[in-house]
Amino acid sequence: MRFKYCPECGAPLSARILGDEGRVPYCEVCGRPYFDMFSSCVITLVANESGEVLLLSQGYISNKYHNLVSGYISPGESAEEAAKREVFEETGVEISSLEFAGTYWFAKKDMLMIGFIARADKSDIMPSGEVDSAGWYAADKAIDMVHPEGSVSHALVKLYLEKM
Ligand SMILES: [Zn+2]
């Protein structure tokens, strides 16, 4: 998202040259720049001790493919905290470790997705209201259940299969 008006005072922004950044929208009233903005999200592959992957079925996202756990990072939260929180909120599963697994640009939604591979004991899943169903699936089956090649989910399951 590129700002045209100041989100604080509503004044139209002008373009100001800020060193190496080039022309940046700038509020002359508040005296500050507004860099282009995007959402920061986490996406977490949760695997259990048997090499099974936690997948969600969420009709509001897709009727065809399953999803890994993902969500927006709240202000004040680290990406790791967001990953743990989202997994617990959406599935009731408590993860025991978390490993950074790269970042991915999701152009369709102007989003930076921060990927993690998490470990958890195979426990009962308590899906939230946003989740139609959830389950543990063998990783080599899971790769065919998520959005195909090119998606962030696919990249993370592939990475996990290479590492397990
Ligand atoms: Zn302003």
Side-chain angles (χ1 to χ4, degrees), residues 6-11 13 27-32 34:
C6 176
E8 295 296 329
C9 75
L13 302 177
C27 180
E28 303 291 345
V29 181
C30 301
R32 58 157 291 185
Y34 286 98

Side-chain angles (χ1 to χ4, degrees), residues 112-123:
L112 181 69
M113 317 256 338
I114 302 170
F116 292 99
I117 292 178
R119 312 275 166 172
D121 292 336
K122 184 170 185 173
S123 51

Side-chain angles (χ1 to χ4, degrees), residues 5-60:
Y5 299 93
C6 176
E8 295 296 329
C9 75
L13 302 177
S14 56
R16 178 178 279 214
I17 297 188
L18 289 181
D20 293 343
E21 302 290 339
R23 293 168 81 83
V24 176
Y26 190 88
C27 180
E28 303 291 345
V29 181
C30 301
R32 58 157 291 185
Y34 286 98
F35 291 91
D36 295 352
M37 216 179 70
F38 50 84
S39 303
S40 300
C41 299
V42 287
I43 179 162
T44 308
L45 180 150
V46 184
N48 66 28
E49 64 278 13
S50 313
E52 293 169 325
V53 172
L54 183 57
L55 292 184
L56 314 181
S57 172
Q58 293 167 290
Y60 80 98

